[in-house]
Amino acid sequence: MLKVIKDTKFIKDIKDNPHYGEVFYWIFFIFSILIKCIYFQFTTHINSEPYFSFTNLMMTISTFAIILMICAIIALIFNKKRIKALFITNILLTILLIADTNFFRYYYDVITIPVFNSLDSRIMNSVNQSISSLINVTDIIFIIDFPVMLAGLIILNKRVGEIHFYKRTVRSLVLFLVGVLTFLTVYGKAEITAFAYSNNYSAQNLGVFYSHFYSTKLFIREKMSEDEDITDEEKELIENVFESKNQERSGGNYTGIAEGKNLIIVQMEAIQSFIIGRTINGKEITPNLNKFINECLYFDNIYYQTAGGNTSDAEFLCNTSLYPMAEGAVYYRFYENTYHSLPQALKEKGYDTYSLHAYEDVFWNRNEMYKSIGFDNFISAKDYQMDDLVGWHGEALSDMSFFRQSFDKIDTKNPFYSFFVTLSCHHPFDYFEDYDFDVGELQGTYLGNYIKAAHYADECMGYFIDELKKRDLFDDSLLVLYGDHKAIPIVNAEELYEFLGLEEREDIWAKLQKVPLMIKYPNQETPEVISNIGGQIDILPTISNMMGFDFPYALGKDLLNTDKQYAIFRNGTVVTDKYVYINCSRNVYDYEDETMLDLELFEEEISSYLKELEVSDIIITKDLFKRLN
């Protein structure tokens, strides 16, 4: 193959005049990387049609400018080895873009330094198993330029000569200035303030390379400010937010209805609301959860608020009523912090506290984080017999066996709080392709496999609820069930839109990010559907009201006693009963008729909502509760 390339007239001309060959090599490098970046932007749906929109043109120009700046640096630092440096840079940038693409398809976010810090070898192995299923055939575009780059390296590497330092410096400075000035032409047109809430927004407007630069700058600034004192402005902001929150939580409905009772929470892996109450080929997808709705309070407008920590973020939201970090997992980055939490509040009331999850105790750093948030007993994989492996590539203990074995690990003679984290219904769901549940034309598809996995998880939940009744715990406990995070990544959004018969739009996608929340209080006789809009951060204050204790450090609201209807996503998107604000695009849509609204009419209110994210970040990054103790 290389011999054929070498024998072409074009290559012979390059051999005779390596200067022209080098110019071609640099140009080819620039446009190869640019095409890969544009492919990343569109294959991940960060950017979308129309292709020649103002935002897309801004992103392309910015990316081109940054590549020019990279070239300027290479040209300045490397002299005779500049061709080899270009080739290696191409490989490194390609690896970064491939990692970004596949990570984004699952997590809907760009890889950042805190994400790397959060991923130990065990998590990387598990994440890789999930993300590898997201690779597309069209991803070959990332490596299609390699033969030309390699041939150019072989032909030019020893033919290009050294360039005098002065001449090399002038060329590099000119190239760098062209890149900077080109970048500045689009930089001033982007809404910079939105970048702090969403890597996606910075990537959408100024490209993935700028997003990496910006998130790294934020990370360095955050690390430098961790030991700084709380400013007067931050103190005032925090005091005002918590004062407002505690005034809202005045109690009334259902206050103390479960006081002194056990608390049982089940965090259900990847159970989203769109499957609840839905049938396929005449059969219920979740018959047991549907039945349970007729015995409990069902909150049908609850949104997940997780970020890069996924399941661990959901645990954090539920047990602390603080938001996760925008970058990386709190469980890794801030596990040594002091927290006010649900298990700590119940321990003070004499409860035994248990967390149960049939996977390795070090996964997501749970063995350390659970100590910080107050679980006295962490029952993990080493405490279970791995007698039935179901889901997650057939490597995890089934939810059925998990529940069956767990009952004997809790001392039910004393008041207890048990926090169950299920696992079987885990992305990518391919384990369930042959599971006996008819999904019709969805057989073999990602969505079809998910529906089968959810049906299996529902069967396990049915067993769990029946077992609670048999053991006389059902009417002696406050039972809480909720989904932890998304099941369908945006790369598979088209299947979901078609299944639900919905239009593919950003506001509709936001409204699909709901998880079920079901709360059954002791001796409940009358079910109720509560449609207040909220999120996982609201679970703790709702529980504290029902169990009759104060929790003044919650950023969430009591869903049973509030007239505030909103949910804040970690990326800055806000859903209310009046509008849906998409932070990535800065668009606002009417909640009901989905028409576009004027952002200026809601900007002040949206800003007040987003202060909750700011307050949560200050509390976590500056370990505020430790300072107050």
Side-chain angles (χ1 to χ4, degrees), residues 93-123:
L93 292 178
T94 299
I95 291 172
L96 176 63
L97 289 169
I98 291 172
D100 277 333
T101 301
N102 290 288
F103 187 86
F104 195 99
R105 285 170 178 164
Y106 183 59
Y107 286 103
Y108 199 46
D109 204 356
V110 177
I111 293 177
T112 60
I113 291 175
V115 168
F116 280 118
N117 289 345
S118 297
L119 297 178
D120 66 11
S121 60
R122 294 178 182 85
I123 290 185

Side-chain angles (χ1 to χ4, degrees), residues 348-373:
E348 292 174 3
K349 291 183 166 294
Y351 281 64
D352 295 332
T353 58
Y354 301 83
S355 182
L356 306 97
H357 182 53
Y359 203 65
E360 296 179 37
D361 58 353
V362 295
F363 197 77
W364 286 124
N365 204 33
R366 287 185 175 98
N367 58 324
E368 297 296 335
M369 187 64 179
Y370 282 166
K371 298 173 188 175
S372 297
I373 60 176

